[in-house]
Amino acid sequence: DAKTTQPPSMDCAEGRAANLPCNHSTISGNEYVYWYRQIHSQGPQYIIHGLKNNETNEMASLIITEDRKSSTLILPHATLRDTAVYYCIVRVGSGGSNYKLTFGKGTLLTVNP
Amino acid sequence: DTGVSQDPRHKITKRGQNVTFRCDPISEHNRLYWYRQTLGQGPEFLTYFQNEAQLEKSRLLSDRFSAERPKGSFSTLEIQRTEQGDSAMYLCASSQPRRASGGARSYEQYFGPGTRLTVT
């Protein structure tokens, strides 16, 4: 699976949009971009994933660049409960893999009041 | 609450003792994963089951570690002769392939709250 690069930490004001970047310059054509987050002392939580089109769900939006070498997770109106470590993971979507997740160190997002 | 439960949530044991953790996945999920997480690091893959078959084990899983998933339902992870280096959070996740938008299959994993092991 391709390696990802994320900033170690970011701050965001409550109510503002949080934009978390991720670089995955070695991504292959059959690899998806997944985002998970981990609130302190809890298990990771799935947020969103995409292949090449932008995606949106009730939690967040995922913007993937046209060359797929980077992506941005957007939390449109961050709340204090969004303070967590956010992991960007690139993984094969199909084809016999066990679909295990390879986590990096992620980005610690701190939402400030 | 994701629907994945783990027991116990915390375990303190002395070096050399054996410990066993249990994971109950979401009932219709056929895939089950174990991960380990140490302080300041992201979770690391340990092993994976599809139904009752253990299909992959990480090199992190030494001979002292064994995992089972009888009948393809709950799973147990046992650590024999624990060492201080085994102190970590042990996470379980489950998944079930589903058709997502555009016809592609989606494989998101749902994690339990973890079992925190402290070896003294």
Side-chain angles (χ1 to χ4, degrees):
Chain A
D1 293 336
K3 184 178 176 181
T4 62
T5 304
Q6 299 177 254
S9 64
M10 293 182 64
D11 286 321
C12 177
E14 188 179 18
R16 305 297 294 267
N19 296 280
L20 292 96
C22 179
N23 285 319
H24 31 80
S25 58
T26 59
I27 193 170
S28 300
N30 63 345
E31 289 180 318
Y32 286 69
V33 180
Y34 279 75
W35 283 84
Y36 283 75
R37 73 179 182 184
Q38 188 171 24
I39 296 169
H40 183 62
S41 295
Q42 297 182 21
Q45 176 189 21
Y46 166 79
I47 302 173
I48 198 168
H49 77 282
L51 182 62
K52 51 186 175 182
N53 297 323
N54 298 337
E55 303 286 345
T56 296
N57 63 20
E58 65 278 3
M59 290 184 67
S61 294
L62 173 60
I63 308 298
I64 302 174
T65 58
E66 193 168 343
D67 64 7
R68 303 211 319 123
K69 293 184 177 182
S70 65
S71 60
T72 302
L73 179 74
I74 301 172
L75 307 178
H77 306 285
T79 71
L80 299 179
R81 287 179 295 179
D82 292 322
T83 292
V85 177
Y86 286 78
Y87 296 100
C88 169
I89 299 166
V90 172
R91 194 187 74 180
V92 171
S94 63
S97 169
N98 75 25
Y99 312 114
K100 66 186 176 187
L101 297 170
T102 302
F103 291 83
K105 292 190 175 182
T107 297
L108 173 60
L109 175 69
T110 303
V111 180
N112 300 304
Chain B
D1 183 2
T2 62
V4 179
S5 61
Q6 292 188 245
D7 183 70
R9 294 291 307 277
H10 303 274
K11 178 70 176 179
I12 300 173
T13 190
K14 292 186 177 179
R15 189 177 54 189
Q17 298 294 305
N18 299 344
V19 294
T20 300
F21 310 140
R22 176 179 171 125
C23 170
D24 286 272
I26 295 171
S27 58
E28 63 268 26
H29 285 188
N30 65 352
R31 295 164 186 255
L32 187 147
Y33 303 79
W34 285 97
Y35 294 83
R36 181 174 70 184
Q37 186 174 25
T38 54
L39 202 61
Q41 304 296 317
E44 296 172 291
F45 169 78
L46 290 179
T47 191
Y48 153 67
F49 290 85
Q50 185 165 328
N51 299 313
E52 67 276 8
Q54 187 175 17
L55 296 184
E56 184 170 339
K57 293 192 288 187
S58 161
R59 277 176 253 175
L60 292 175
L61 217 64
S62 76
D63 292 343
R64 297 184 296 105
F65 287 70
S66 63
E68 294 183 339
R69 193 183 181 197
K71 303 178 183 178
S73 56
F74 71 92
S75 176
T76 58
L77 177 68
E78 180 183 17
I79 309 174
Q80 296 182 328
R81 305 180 303 281
T82 53
E83 302 173 356
Q84 287 187 322
D86 297 331
S87 295
M89 174 78 85
Y90 290 84
L91 293 158
C92 173
S94 69
S95 73
Q96 176 73 18
R98 64 174 183 88
R99 288 290 177 190
S101 60
R105 287 198 167 192
S106 180
Y107 296 90
E108 59 262 32
Q109 295 180 19
Y110 295 86
F111 283 79
T115 295
R116 181 165 296 284
L117 173 66
T118 302
V119 181
T120 61

